[in-house]
Amino acid sequence: MKKIASFTIDHTILPKGLYTSRVDGDCVTYDIRMRRPNKEPVLENGAVHTLEHLIATFVRNSEYSDSVVYFGPMGCRTGFYFIVRDTVSPGQVISLLQNAFAFCADFSGEVPGVSEKECGNWKDHDLDGAKKEAAAMLKVLEGWKTEQLVYPSR
């Protein structure tokens, strides 16, 4: 089988950050890397799950909601994928995600979609962990520029 694009990225040198992963027609996939692969402990499940609920809700309620295709965790638990239509510019994506992580870092109240009826694993959430992870990622994204969206190479 042909190797998929995400397996061609050198994970041994990948720092935390935001990268353009791939472009498929009018869809752009962004790699939100919150952990250095194989060098730092992975994100905890409860925090990942809560971040997914909060950020997915935030971006789908933003001015770009019609262009949001997907937001969800990577299986390796080192970050998330964010897929949008190309009607959202890279600069707008950076700003949207900065705002989303700020929203999460300061969130209080009931996490959206956390009930047995709404969620397939509703008991596995960690708001405090999600807030901590969001605050840490917000620092990474502070001042992030479109030129930085390219994966590093040796």
Side-chain angles (χ1 to χ4, degrees):
M1 289 190 283
K2 187 173 140 184
K3 187 181 281 195
I4 63 172
S6 61
F7 294 159
T8 66
I9 304 307
D10 187 346
H11 287 71
T12 66
I13 62 167
L14 188 58
K16 297 176 188 177
L18 176 63
Y19 307 99
T20 304
S21 176
R22 57 184 295 142
V23 178
D24 299 287
D26 70 336
C27 289
V28 182
T29 301
Y30 290 92
D31 173 333
I32 305 166
R33 197 60 64 152
M34 298 177 70
R35 291 287 195 275
R36 290 175 41 228
N38 304 307
K39 294 188 178 8
E40 296 179 307
V42 298
L43 297 162
E44 295 294 326
N45 279 337
V48 166
H49 196 183
T50 302
L51 281 170
E52 178 192 16
H53 279 237
L54 290 172
I55 295 178
T57 299
F58 184 89
V59 298
R60 287 190 172 107
N61 281 279
S62 74
E63 63 186 290
Y64 308 107
S65 62
D66 290 341
S67 295
V68 172
V69 176
Y70 174 77
F71 178 85
M74 296 175 178
C76 62
R77 294 184 6 227
T78 61
F80 291 84
Y81 286 117
F82 182 44
I83 305 172
V84 294
R85 303 257 181 236
D86 61 7
T87 55
V88 185
S89 74
Q92 290 168 323
V93 167
I94 293 169
S95 179
L96 177 59
L97 290 173
Q98 288 167 332
N99 291 334
F101 280 103
F103 168 78
C104 292
D106 293 333
F107 187 83
S108 63
E110 189 174 319
V111 175
V114 179
S115 73
E116 187 174 12
K117 185 176 180 179
E118 299 167 307
C119 179
N121 192 10
W122 69 282
K123 291 183 180 181
D124 188 17
H125 282 273
D126 178 2
L127 179 56
D128 289 336
K131 291 172 70 164
K132 178 182 163 199
E133 298 296 351
M137 191 61 191
L138 191 56
K139 289 179 185 174
V140 172
L141 293 178
E142 187 177 318
W144 203 263
K145 305 284 184 225
T146 57
E147 303 83 47
Q148 295 173 278
L149 292 171
V150 178
Y151 282 118
S153 60
R154 287 193 191 264

